[in-house]
Amino acid sequence: AALLKHQSLSSVPASGGLVGVYNGKSLVFEESSWFVINVIKLVWRYGFQSLRMHMWVEDLLDKFMRIYRYQSHDYAFSSVEKLMHAIGGDDYVRLLNQTLRENLKKAGFSETFLNEMIAPVMKVNYGQSTDINAFVGAVSLTAADSNLWAVEGGNKIVCSGLLQASSSNLISGSVMSIEEKTRTKQTGNPTKMYEVVYKTGSETHSDFYDIVLVAAPLNRKMSNITFRNFDPPIEEFNDPYQQLVTTFIKGELNSTLFSSRPKDQFGLSAILVTDDSDMFINSLSIVASVRQKEGPPPAVDGMHVWKTFSRDILTKEQ
């Protein structure tokens, strides 16, 4: 919000519309445009677990916000565990060593609630189940809150605006190697520097930097960077990565797949799926414009642009 103010940008509410949860056979939950009806539906099926979940997430966020107090006083931590303990105590550290399912079951949430409310959120955000790390899962749940917003014109303009304001030199190239070197400055003191060798088009260049941040997976298949003269050596991450495919489709949804109601009465603009649904997609939703003030855009020729997440590339039949 502070960056938006600094750059005189405005925000738009995150895509509205109604959400349904599909279990492979039927919609186990359908959101209503009436708040009271939603509350009744949630209480009828899950008791007061939705309210407890909201409070659980709020408590987690309140503790997480303490990190800014430490940062404003230039306070740093030597390990993730120490940071987590400082902002939330033992319970917070426990989030690092448990699955989300373990943590929420211990907190008293039911199997039905975990499968129908929590699992679909993990599936849409990370393409994973409630066996995800508890802290990661908790962060994922904060994104399911309704107070989300986007930047008018697209979130990317925050980055381009900051880049312009900082007068930085942006080089678009592929980094080939990073070498740790000791150089003697004009004062005569030896100092550690890093030589970055990179390619722009067919030309190879190199520059020296005081600090290098690598914001890419240290995996040869994904970012083929050679690290030279580092002691201890930089470790590569060789565990497999999970593929997630995003597909945009302009068309009319075959709503009979999810509901027996006539298509003009379907009304949902997002469908999340449970783990046991055996669906070929993780989620489905109408894409909202970044220049629109609220809700999904009006249909064009009776059709919307839909976005799906899936493990594999969709077939024509799908």
Side-chain angles (χ1 to χ4, degrees):
L3 292 177
L4 257 65
K5 201 172 179 183
H6 179 259
Q7 296 183 51
S8 303
L9 300 173
S10 58
S11 64
V12 288
S15 161
L18 304 178
V19 180
V21 178
Y22 183 67
N23 71 355
K25 298 183 187 73
S26 62
L27 289 161
V28 290
F29 180 78
E30 281 184 80
E31 208 175 10
S32 164
S33 51
W34 295 84
F35 173 77
V36 175
I37 292 175
N38 281 330
V39 171
I40 293 167
K41 279 183 173 184
L42 287 166
V43 172
W44 183 264
R45 190 163 180 89
Y46 309 111
F48 290 98
Q49 292 184 87
S50 288
L51 178 61
R52 281 187 55 223
M53 175 51 61
H54 180 74
M55 290 162 68
W56 186 85
V57 170
E58 284 294 304
D59 178 58
L60 191 115
L61 276 175
D62 286 345
K63 286 174 179 166
F64 191 77
M65 296 301 274
R66 292 174 188 169
I67 195 169
Y68 297 111
R69 280 189 232 158
Y70 286 104
Q71 287 189 330
S72 65
H73 291 94
D74 294 334
Y75 201 94
F77 298 90
S78 56
S79 72
V80 173
E81 284 78 10
K82 284 177 180 169
L83 162 64
M84 295 285 274
H85 192 273
I87 62 176
D90 291 337
D91 286 348
Y92 231 65
V93 176
R94 216 167 283 127
L95 288 168
L96 296 176
N97 307 312
Q98 282 183 327
T99 67
L100 183 65
R101 178 171 284 270
E102 284 170 343
N103 191 283
L104 292 181
K105 283 206 86 168
K106 208 165 275 184
F109 291 95
S110 73
E111 200 71 43
T112 304
F113 187 76
L114 287 171
N115 291 340
E116 295 179 3
M117 286 282 117
I118 308 300
V121 176
M122 297 309 119
K123 212 169 175 76
V124 64
N125 284 341
Y126 292 118
Q128 294 191 47
S129 69
T130 49
D131 290 330
I132 199 167
N133 171 277
F135 183 68
V136 176
V139 170
S140 177
L141 285 168
T142 63
D145 207 347
S146 56
N147 301 322
L148 299 179
W149 46 272
V151 176
E152 174 85 23
N155 294 345
K156 65 177 183 179
I157 62 176
V158 175
C159 302
S160 53
L162 286 172
L163 197 60
Q164 209 173 349
S166 67
S167 305
S168 298
N169 178 26
L170 176 66
I171 301 167
S172 295
S174 300
V175 175
M176 297 160 70
S177 68
I178 302 169
E179 185 171 357
E180 190 177 290
K181 290 190 169 181
T182 304
R183 300 185 84 189
T184 305
K185 288 202 166 179
Q186 287 173 337
T187 54
N189 296 327
T191 183
K192 195 180 280 186
M193 293 193 81
Y194 304 95
E195 184 180 19
V196 178
V197 178
Y198 59 94
K199 232 179 181 170
T200 54
S202 57
E203 294 180 5
T204 303
H205 307 270
S206 74
D207 286 310
F208 283 92
Y209 297 95
D210 298 309
I211 298 169
V212 175
L213 302 179
V214 181
L218 298 182
N219 180 298
R220 289 279 171 194
K221 290 176 185 170
M222 304 176 83
S223 53
N224 194 12
I225 302 171
T226 302
F227 294 91
R228 297 198 172 102
N229 295 329
F230 281 84
D231 186 26
I234 304 290
E235 286 184 41
E236 283 192 26
F237 183 82
N238 292 314
D239 287 7
Y241 275 77
Q242 177 182 292
Q243 172 176 276
L244 189 68
V245 180
T246 308
T247 311
F248 292 93
I249 309 147
K250 183 185 174 186
E252 199 178 329
L253 181 70
N254 177 13
S255 61
T256 56
L257 180 67
F258 306 102
S259 169
S260 56
R261 284 202 312 278
K263 65 181 180 186
D264 58 338
Q265 293 173 25
F266 185 63
L268 297 179
S269 59
I271 297 162
L272 307 185
V273 297
T274 61
D275 264 347
D276 55 1
S277 65
D278 291 331
M279 278 292 285
F280 52 83
I281 55 166
N282 293 351
S283 64
L284 179 69
S285 60
I286 292 175
V287 182
S289 168
V290 293
R291 288 183 178 80
Q292 186 164 306
K293 289 292 175 190
E294 55 187 277
V300 182
D301 312 325
M303 297 189 286
H304 289 289
V305 175
W306 292 83
K307 176 175 75 172
T308 74
F309 289 146
S310 58
R311 282 283 177 106
D312 300 300
I313 295 169
L314 300 185
T315 63
K316 285 273 186 264
E317 184 194 359
Q318 287 168 340

